[in-house]
Amino acid sequence: MAIRNIVKIGDDVLRKICRTQLTFDEKLATLLDDMAETMYKAEGVGLAAPQVGLLRRICIVDVGDGLIELINPVIMEKSGSQTGSEGCLSVPDRFEEVERPMTVTVRAQDRNGKNIVITAEGFKARAFCHEIDHLDGILYIDRIKK
Ligand code: CO
């Protein structure tokens, strides 16, 4: 495993639409392992592939109850709303209030290509929304509550 460099705001790679991940191989496994190591070292609760310079629809989340790997995630359902403080490893030393759904159901694939469906609430739902936004070039600062 290896720590990867985290791309910071201002880099174009954070503003691009990511491509669907089509291969589920050893290279993907290595990338996911590296992303996890990078996220934990930086003490983040989520990390998306563009944040390590790769335009792929891949993100990871760990809000303290275990690592979740999402390949090609899609939010299928959302309900309710919550407003809370949010930050991003690509936007250092800044936290802002952002409104998000209270509950989301996400469909994705795991590292082996198997379909998974996860429903998350509260902070985990917030983290899912934040990371999935990254895959479409959206940063949380675009969603700051006015
Ligand atoms: Co972020």
Side-chain angles (χ1 to χ4, degrees):
M1 296 214 288
I3 305 279
R4 304 222 181 179
N5 188 47
I6 298 178
V7 172
K8 300 298 191 305
I9 187 166
D11 193 314
D12 278 352
V13 77
L14 293 174
R15 293 306 195 172
K16 302 245 162 88
I17 308 284
C18 294
R19 293 183 299 268
T20 302
Q21 178 70 25
L22 298 172
T23 53
F24 296 84
D25 55 8
E26 204 53 42
K27 247 180 105 173
L28 173 63
T30 301
L31 171 62
L32 287 163
D33 290 345
D34 286 357
M35 284 175 65
E37 194 176 358
T38 303
M39 177 183 74
Y40 290 128
K41 172 91 189 305
E43 298 180 353
V45 297
L47 191 70
Q51 293 182 276
V52 294
L54 295 169
L55 291 172
R56 316 266 196 77
R57 303 195 77 82
I58 298 168
C59 60
I60 59 171
V61 167
D62 187 344
V63 296
D65 61 351
L67 181 65
I68 298 169
E69 298 172 336
L70 300 172
I71 319 299
N72 304 319
V74 177
I75 296 175
M76 304 182 67
E77 282 181 46
K78 44 188 165 184
S79 63
S81 80
Q82 56 172 322
T83 299
S85 184
E86 211 164 299
C88 179
L89 294 175
S90 293
V91 187
D93 305 320
R94 193 173 164 189
F95 295 89
E96 304 280 357
E97 297 282 300
V98 180
E99 188 175 354
R100 299 285 190 184
M102 182 55 86
T103 306
V104 294
T105 297
V106 173
R107 171 170 53 82
Q109 287 165 284
D110 69 9
R111 62 164 64 200
N112 301 308
K114 189 175 152 251
N115 292 319
I116 53 174
V117 175
I118 303 175
T119 296
E121 283 184 9
F123 189 60
K124 192 187 276 187
R126 174 179 297 283
F128 279 9
C129 293
H130 177 118
E131 298 312 325
I132 292 169
D133 269 354
H134 271 298
L135 309 184
D136 292 315
I138 299 166
L139 298 177
Y140 83 94
I141 51 171
D142 304 339
R143 298 194 186 276
I144 292 171
K145 253 198 141 179
K146 305 273 167 1

